Every structure is written in C-alpha cells, then in structure tokens.
Amino acid sequence: MLRIGSLLVDPPLFLAPMAGVTDKDFRLIVRRIGGVGVVAMEFLSSKGLLRGERRWRRIMEFSQEERPLAIQIYGSDVDSMAEAAQIVEDLQPDLCDINMGCPANKILKGCSGAALMGNLKLAEQIVRRVRRTVSVPLTVKFRLGLDDKRRSYLELGRICQGEGADAVAMHARTARQMYRGEADWSHIARLKEALSIPVLGNGDIREPEDAVRRMRETGCDGVMVGRGATRNPWIFRQISALLSGGKIPMPTLRDRRRLILDHFRTVIDRDDPKLALHRLRTFTGKYSQGLPQGRDLRREIYGKEQPEEFLVLIEDFFQRLKIDAAA
Ligand SMILES: Cc1cc2nc3c(=O)[nH]c(=O)nc-3n(C[C@H](O)[C@H](O)[C@H](O)COP(=O)(O)O)c2cc1C
C-alpha cells in the first residue's frame, strides 16, 4: 500500500498518461480488468483549458468508476497553470499531476514539458503556485533532464518535495532520447535515495516481471506503465498477482479478441466516422503489438476507410490465429 498525500494507492501501480491513448474508453478498459492503482488522463494544456476549448473539455470527462484518477496539466505560464489547476481542483480528481517530461518539440518550444527541467526557477514557481491552488494530492512527472549533460532530476525532485508535492514520477530517459535507447533505472534508485516523498519509476516495463524486479532493485514506491499497458492491458492484474505472491493470469486469444471488439464497437457507436477511424487506427496499432502476426494486422489497416471494416478485420485476424494455434 502506498500513500500519496491523503490518497491510499493499492496496488502501487499506475497507468501512465498517454496523449491520444489514455482516453476514457481505455482507462475504463484497464480499470475493469483490475490490478491498477491509479489511471491517468492524457495531458491537458493549461492555456487550452483556460480558453475553454471544446477539445479539452471533452478530454476532461471521466466517470466515478475510473477512480482513483490523475489529471495532468502542462504549461509554462505560472498564472495559467494556477488557473488550470483550479479547474482541475473543481473536478476533484484523486491526483493532480504536473507534466515536466514531455519531449515533443511543440511542447518544448512553448517552454513547457521537459523544457522546465532546464529552467528550474520557473519549475519551482509552477509547483509552488499549483500546490497553493489544489487541495487534492499533487504529483510531478519528469525525465532525467534535457540530455545526458544536463540531468537535473535530483534538483527538480528536491524542489518538488520542498514545494509540497506529495510524490514524483520519473521516466528514466532524457528529453533528447525521446523514446530511444533503454530507460536507465539506476537513476530512479538515486532519486529514491535523495527524497523522502514517494518516487514512482517509469520506463520500459514490458513484462509483469520487469515491474517487480525494478521495484526490488531500486526501492521505488510504485511503478508507472505506459506502452506495456497498450500492448497488454492485463499487465496491471499480472503485476499485482506477482506482488501478492501469485501466478501470472494469462489472457486467452478469446479475451483479447473480445476486448478489442468491445472497445471498437463503443468507438464506432459513439464517435463520428472520422474521429472513430483515427482512434481505431491508433488502437489497432497499439493492441497488435502484443499479438502474434500483429505486423500483418498493422499492414492491413492501411486503406481501410470505413470504421466497420475494422471489426471484420479483427474478426478475420483472430480467426486466422485460432486456426494457426490449432494447426
Ligand atoms: C503515445 C504516447 C503519449 C504520451 N503522452 C504523455 C502525456 O500526455 N503526459 C506524460 O506525462 N507522458 C506522456 N507519455 C510518456 C508516458 O507517460 C511514459 O512516461 C513513457 O511512455 C515511458 O513509459 P513506458 O515505457 O511504460 O511507455 C506518452 C507516451 C506515449 C507513447
């Protein structure tokens, strides 16, 4: 059991925020499978929120069933971040999270995301103001630093702790690395040694065993899983079983087929065709990474223009897999 401010998290497993991925549908999928402590929303632009843009308002919707839930905001303007934090506070999520790790060029140019790791004074002011604004537990998510020569995670971690953040999460890569190379968890162990607030480790948890091993090796208080959960939404249940000394429950092909078809039917029934098509493409790409012959499936989605075609494609794909498995 992990305590983050007033929030008890059990098990100490977190679905990482992923723009375009951890929408309400996916959060509910992971929550309903079980084993996850906290699920996170995609990041929200503080300026976009203040402008009241429809896109962000829609992203912010969540249901009680998803709880505990974290809402993450990003930005570089202290006042806007404080005002955005107030909007978040009004929604009363279980955690408010500040993004200081996004390495995308568009975000860095706006001096937010990981750019704040190169401007610790500004980072400090943002954490201070957001902390004063929200009463819900506050976390900050960051990387190692801008690049290998400018690793500022220890300073930033101490700043977050000093300004009253209740926990920090670190993706153990630099911004320059983007997603290349391997996450270096030795830095997570160092951060854990340096801080007294909980430290969540993140990066390249692909298999349930990775999570248990990383927690043991680094002493971190919890782990956050991103891409591993889109390949395998059962991963939290599997880690949780390992943590309590049990065996890893394995989803069957039928479980996977049902999960994808249910997800896609929800999207098709609700969204306009253009948006639906975008989501179906994204998720076919993600889900197929956990499947044998997934590459074939990814190839097949090109040229599909009607959302319903995806249902046929998935049915056919699993039919083929079943035949192969029986052969
Ligand atoms: C498609 C995608 C979108 C992401 N969006 C966010 C985001 O909105 N906020 C954030 O803090 N990190 C974001 N990340 C980073 C993840 O939260 C996580 O730190 C990173 O993927 C490393 O963890 P993993 O190896 O378990 O995926 C994103 C990552 C991916 C792949």
Side-chain angles (χ1 to χ4, degrees):
M1 172 108 59
L2 164 64
R3 179 185 281 280
I4 298 184
S6 57
L7 179 69
L8 292 178
V9 184
D10 185 22
L13 308 175
F14 294 70
L15 171 65
M18 287 181 283
V21 178
T22 54
D23 57 11
K24 186 173 167 187
D25 295 337
F26 189 69
R27 297 192 303 267
L28 276 173
I29 285 171
V30 171
R31 175 60 73 200
R32 284 174 183 163
I33 289 176
V36 68
V38 175
V39 297
M41 210 177 261
E42 327 171 37
F43 66 2
L44 301 169
S45 151
S46 51
K47 291 248 166 95
L49 281 186
L50 298 185
R51 284 195 295 263
E53 289 168 8
R54 233 182 54 210
R55 166 169 171 234
W56 298 110
R57 280 210 311 271
R58 212 173 55 99
I59 289 180
M60 283 180 97
E61 284 167 17
F62 66 91
S63 62
Q64 297 305 312
E65 191 187 347
E66 295 173 41
R67 290 183 184 277
L69 166 93
I71 298 187
Q72 188 190 58
I73 51 175
Y74 73 90
S76 59
D77 178 66
V78 182
D79 291 334
S80 307
M81 283 295 277
E83 283 179 54
Q86 185 59 55
I87 296 176
V88 172
E89 168 79 3
D90 292 344
L91 292 174
Q92 284 290 298
D94 300 277
L95 288 176
C96 174
D97 184 39
I98 304 176
N99 180 313
M100 296 199 181
C102 182
N105 262 337
K106 201 173 90 188
I107 305 290
L108 292 182
K109 275 195 199 129
C111 294
S112 44
L116 290 166
M117 298 203 75
N119 188 346
L120 294 178
K121 270 268 149 287
L122 181 56
E124 182 172 21
Q125 286 167 18
I126 289 176
V127 180
R128 184 177 303 152
R129 284 287 300 283
V130 172
R131 174 70 293 176
R132 266 196 236 145
T133 309
V134 297
S135 64
V136 296
L138 175 67
T139 56
V140 184
K141 179 168 179 281
F142 48 81
R143 289 192 175 222
L144 299 180
L146 289 172
D147 54 37
D148 281 339
K149 291 214 175 72
R150 289 175 290 174
R151 281 196 205 117
S152 51
Y153 68 91
L154 284 175
E155 294 98 299
L156 181 57
R158 287 192 188 103
I159 287 170
C160 293
Q161 176 168 293
E163 294 301 332
D166 296 296
V168 293
M170 183 161 80
H171 174 193
R173 283 188 174 84
T174 63
R176 168 157 296 174
Q177 273 182 292
M178 306 285 285
Y179 292 90
R180 288 185 295 270
E182 285 287 304
D184 182 349
W185 281 68
S186 65
H187 296 292
I188 288 170
R190 287 187 63 194
L191 184 64
K192 172 65 193 160
E193 259 171 43
L195 301 186
S196 55
I197 56 173
V199 171
L200 312 177
N202 172 236
D204 301 342
I205 301 283
R206 296 190 183 95
E207 303 297 332
E209 294 86 349
D210 297 337
V212 179
R213 178 170 52 91
R214 293 305 196 189
M215 285 179 79
R216 206 177 39 231
E217 281 169 2
T218 64
C220 70
D221 302 276
V223 293
M224 192 176 256
V225 184
R227 293 163 297 172
T230 51
R231 278 193 293 270
N232 171 20
W234 286 266
I235 195 165
F236 296 105
R237 202 166 83 188
Q238 295 175 328
I239 302 170
S240 160
L242 278 184
L243 286 175
S244 45
K247 277 215 192 101
I248 299 179
M250 292 303 284
T252 61
L253 276 182
R254 181 187 296 207
D255 294 331
R256 287 188 183 274
R257 174 179 168 278
R258 189 176 322 129
L259 180 141
I260 301 175
L261 287 176
D262 285 353
H263 183 178
F264 285 10
R265 281 207 189 93
T266 306
V267 170
I268 292 170
D269 290 346
R270 185 199 50 218
D271 294 342
D272 73 75
K274 205 170 147 212
L275 183 61
L277 204 59
H278 177 69
R279 278 187 213 264
L280 299 181
R281 286 204 174 113
T282 301
F283 277 97
T284 305
K286 306 271 175 210
Y287 287 146
S288 62
Q289 282 170 20
L291 291 171
Q293 299 165 40
R295 190 183 297 224
D296 296 342
L297 183 58
R298 288 195 287 282
R299 205 174 303 126
E300 283 165 7
I301 63 175
Y302 290 107
K304 298 280 178 244
E305 296 294 340
Q306 297 301 324
E308 283 76 12
E309 289 179 283
F310 280 74
L311 298 178
V312 179
L313 199 70
I314 299 293
E315 294 271 21
D316 285 352
F317 177 77
F318 277 96
Q319 189 59 31
R320 285 201 308 268
L321 281 189
K322 214 161 64 196
I323 293 166
D324 281 0

